[in-house]
Amino acid sequence: EWLRQTDRPRGRCVMRLLATAIAARPLLVPRAAPAALLDVEAVASVHTSLGDLSSTLAFADQAGNLAGALFPLSLPPYLLFLYFLGYEGNRCPKTAQFGAQFLLLFVVSTVLTGIVTKGTYSSSLADVDWLHGGAEALLTTSNLFLGFGLAGALSSGKMEPAGAGMEGTRPQRFAALALAVTVFGSAFAGPQLGVEAHSPFLFGAGALPADLLAASPLPLHVEPANALSIPTWAIHFSSVFEYLFAMGMVWQMAALSGNERWKGLTWGMLPLHASGVAACTYHFFYNSPDLSFLVLLQAALTLAGNTTCAVAAARLASSNGWTPSMLNPFDQSSAAASPSAAASDPASAAASGSGSGSTSIASEPSAASAAAAARAGPPAPAASASPTARAYATA
């Protein structure tokens, strides 16, 4: 009305445009029901995707039960274990130390491969053999570095030099990290290349041909599609036995270092070995839902084992001079008392040696000197001493 009164030609033009727009798309339409305005399927899809993501990030796809809470809770104790094991006063072999650290990449791989299994195959990691075997390959690599790193120190008969860095493990680290990149890359490239959910790891190398099995006189049964392949089983068995080997090496470190608390670390590792046995038992029965309690047992043993390893490593570090004050980065006195500082300042180290490990190592030269003195016999008597004194000294 205002347009008509102020500018009639322009008002008529605007009204024609409005009429054309209304004719093309009516402004007044019947009100839709709330359900029609809401795309229920899209919302359900988003909700399912978020649920799948939370399941994947909860380790072992167990977000809906207690195991899903126990697996993530086991990570902080393991980080504490790495901290105490790496204390310089322990003089832990650097290759073994790297092996313990490399286990974190195995944890990351279970998360990444779990995302692929849930998002692409709508399955769990334990039922997708080629991804399962790839992730377990990182676990067995971690155990190999741990065990052979300790075995190298035992065969040399020497503890790691105080203040030694990781430079000597560079080739091993590059090889291990290359394997991790290969596993991560194949996890995302495999589905694009047409790899199916139940494709065997390493193409099922070592498996007998199906026609040979069918002609066998033995009463063989047909395994389900989610059965582990020969390479995946080989990695599982090697991981279990490698960890037992590493436990034995840790026990022998007590004799090499003169510190019996290394044996306590072997006892702390025992629940983790039992966790691996529980996982293998679950896979042996084809990941049957009737045996899902084994997943809970595995999670509980992992949490318990990481905790006992952290406690054992803390006792070992404290026996070698670690104190809670070293957690304070602004405490200069604790930094000056660290083994690396003692190695850089031999005079102060000799005056203020600390820790049982340092004491036993520092006492080695004195023990050797005493043995040499005993073999050399008593010192020659001074020329100015009386004949009686010389005779007594000789006797």
Side-chain angles (χ1 to χ4, degrees):
E1 185 64 26
W2 177 79
L3 285 171
R4 287 198 195 99
Q5 294 176 0
T6 55
D7 192 344
R8 289 179 180 276
R10 185 177 297 175
R12 285 195 295 270
C13 181
V14 172
M15 293 301 294
R16 289 194 192 99
L17 291 175
L18 288 174
T20 304
I22 292 172
R25 181 167 182 168
L27 296 178
L28 297 177
V29 296
R31 185 173 182 178
L37 295 175
L38 190 63
D39 192 341
V40 179
E41 293 183 358
V43 173
S45 176
V46 172
H47 182 271
T48 303
S49 300
L50 292 176
D52 291 346
L53 181 60
S54 64
S55 299
T56 302
L57 297 180
F59 299 88
D61 304 325
Q62 300 295 322
N65 52 40
L66 184 57
L70 294 181
F71 276 117
L73 288 176
S74 64
L75 186 57
Y78 191 78
L79 295 177
L80 285 175
F81 162 69
L82 292 179
Y83 169 75
F84 288 117
L85 182 67
Y87 173 63
E88 294 179 353
N90 295 335
R91 298 174 64 179
C92 178
K94 296 303 179 182
T95 302
Q97 202 172 324
F98 170 72
Q101 296 168 354
F102 189 77
L103 186 71
L104 295 176
L105 282 181
F106 163 71
V107 176
V108 173
S109 73
T110 60
V111 175
L112 295 180
T113 54
I115 291 175
V116 176
T117 55
K118 295 293 289 186
T120 304
Y121 303 118
S122 299
S123 183
S124 65
L125 179 59
D127 292 329
V128 181
D129 188 77
W130 69 278
L131 286 173
H132 187 190
E136 290 292 331
L138 300 183
L139 175 61
T140 193
T141 302
S142 170
N143 292 344
L144 283 173
F145 278 112
L146 178 63
F148 284 107
L150 295 169
L154 292 169
S155 62
S156 67
K158 298 178 181 178
M159 296 291 291
E160 191 79 16
M166 285 286 192
E167 291 77 12
T169 63
R170 184 171 297 176
Q172 298 93 322
R173 284 185 290 156
F174 283 160
L177 292 176
L179 175 62
V181 170
T182 302
V183 171
F184 296 156
S186 62
F188 290 103
Q192 308 301 324
L193 298 176
V195 182
E196 299 178 353
H198 299 301
S199 298
F201 177 59
L202 294 180
F203 308 101
L208 296 176
D211 53 352
L212 180 62
L213 292 175
S216 173
L218 300 175
L220 303 176
H221 71 279
V222 179
E223 290 190 314
N226 68 336
L228 269 62
S229 64
I230 295 296
T232 304
W233 267 124
I235 285 181
H236 276 75
F237 274 102
S238 66
S239 297
V240 171
F241 286 107
E242 288 158 11
Y243 202 71
L244 279 176
F245 172 75
M247 291 170 64
M249 297 298 102
V250 171
W251 187 274
Q252 295 181 45
M253 287 291 291
L256 178 63
S257 64
N259 191 340
E260 290 294 310
R261 292 197 175 181
W262 278 97
K263 294 183 178 180
L265 184 55
T266 301
W267 290 110
M269 297 167 68
L270 189 58
L272 292 176
H273 169 66
S275 174
V277 173
C280 289
T281 305
Y282 181 64
H283 299 325
F284 182 80
F285 291 101
Y286 309 115
N287 309 325
S288 172
D290 296 334
L291 299 178
S292 58
F293 70 90
L294 288 174
V295 179
L296 175 60
L297 179 61
Q298 178 193 2
L301 288 171
T302 301
L303 175 59
N306 287 352
T307 303
T308 53
C309 280
V311 172
R315 294 180 70 249
L316 176 64
S318 64
S319 69
N320 287 323
W322 182 88
T323 59
S325 63
M326 292 182 180
L327 295 172
N328 183 5
F330 304 103
D331 188 357
Q332 299 299 325
S333 61
S334 61
S338 64
S340 59
S344 62
D345 188 359
S348 61
S352 59
S354 62
S356 62
S358 302
T359 303
S360 61
I361 295 165
S363 64
E364 290 174 2
S366 61
S369 301
R375 289 192 298 269
S384 59
S386 65
T388 305
R390 288 198 298 271
Y392 179 78
T394 303

